[in-house]
Amino acid sequence: MSNVNNIVPQALLPYAQFITWVLVPDPKSKKPRKVPLGRSGAGAAWDRPNDFMTAEEAFTVYRQREHAGIGFFFTPADPFWFLDFDDAWVGGVMRPPAARAYQLFHGAAYEVSQSGTGFHLIGSGTLGEHRNRNIELGCELYSTRRFAALTGRDMAGDAGVNFTGVLPGFLTEFDLGPAP
């Protein structure tokens, strides 16, 4: 990660909702757990804005403390949603549900996930306080009370693109709960 502009979608930069994160072993899973850390270096939470930093501050802390990366907390104060698709590729080909989501949200901010096997999409739009996952499809969508571990890997698109018209159909098609 050479600088904050290579990691953070530009639309997120005005929001001081950034944290750093570290990976810790999770005895209940094969994958390590991502733990958000605030300005002080202690655990961060979505409802404690004093934990948050600007993107530049988080990038500096990430480098100084050698954390795994920087992240963004989604709160009711921002217009963004986050879609996390795990295991998006099989044999180098995007799985059909992942390809469909990518197609529906074409133009949203895109990056490859920390694992390298999935992707993230970040966009804007009216979703309300939404958090839900579809384990069978390997995806989760949320707009508040969660953080995203940003990677900047193969970053493209714009998190400021508004998908309010697309979100209700997506929630239904992907069985991710009621539309706003």
Side-chain angles (χ1 to χ4, degrees):
M1 292 190 206
S2 58
N3 72 57
V4 74
N5 293 316
N6 294 338
I7 305 165
V8 177
Q10 295 297 304
L12 302 183
L13 289 173
Y15 295 84
Q17 295 172 203
F18 292 87
I19 46 86
T20 61
W21 56 275
V22 294
L23 292 171
V24 298
D26 184 349
K28 298 177 185 176
S29 175
K30 293 182 273 182
K31 295 180 0 181
R33 196 167 48 96
K34 297 176 192 96
V35 176
L37 302 176
R39 174 187 318 277
S40 70
W46 75 273
D47 59 350
R48 291 195 314 256
N50 288 339
D51 293 342
F52 301 160
M53 298 172 265
T54 66
E56 289 289 342
E57 289 170 326
F59 186 75
T60 299
V61 168
Y62 145 76
R63 298 209 25 150
Q64 288 175 345
R65 297 182 186 159
E66 299 181 359
H67 290 170
I70 68 172
F72 183 83
F73 256 109
F74 295 86
T75 75
D78 68 69
F80 305 110
W81 50 262
F82 180 81
L83 177 64
D84 184 4
F85 235 103
D86 294 330
D87 302 317
W89 293 274
V90 175
V93 176
M94 195 178 283
R95 292 188 305 119
R100 175 71 175 144
Y102 184 79
Q103 174 191 28
L104 286 170
F105 296 116
H106 181 73
Y110 165 91
E111 68 176 5
V112 174
S113 65
Q114 183 266 332
S115 68
T117 63
F119 67 81
H120 302 150
L121 294 174
I122 304 172
S124 298
T126 304
L127 188 57
E129 290 197 19
H130 190 89
R131 294 177 296 153
N132 211 343
R133 82 172 26 144
N134 182 319
I135 294 170
E136 184 179 317
L137 294 179
C139 66
E140 60 184 314
L141 176 72
Y142 48 88
S143 62
T144 190
R145 301 182 184 192
R146 295 283 307 272
F147 84 96
L150 302 174
T151 68
R153 188 169 162 193
D154 297 333
M155 187 171 64
D158 181 359
V161 175
N162 189 310
F163 289 95
T164 298
V166 175
L167 286 163
F170 174 77
L171 292 172
T172 301
E173 183 177 338
F174 281 71
D175 195 24
L176 286 167

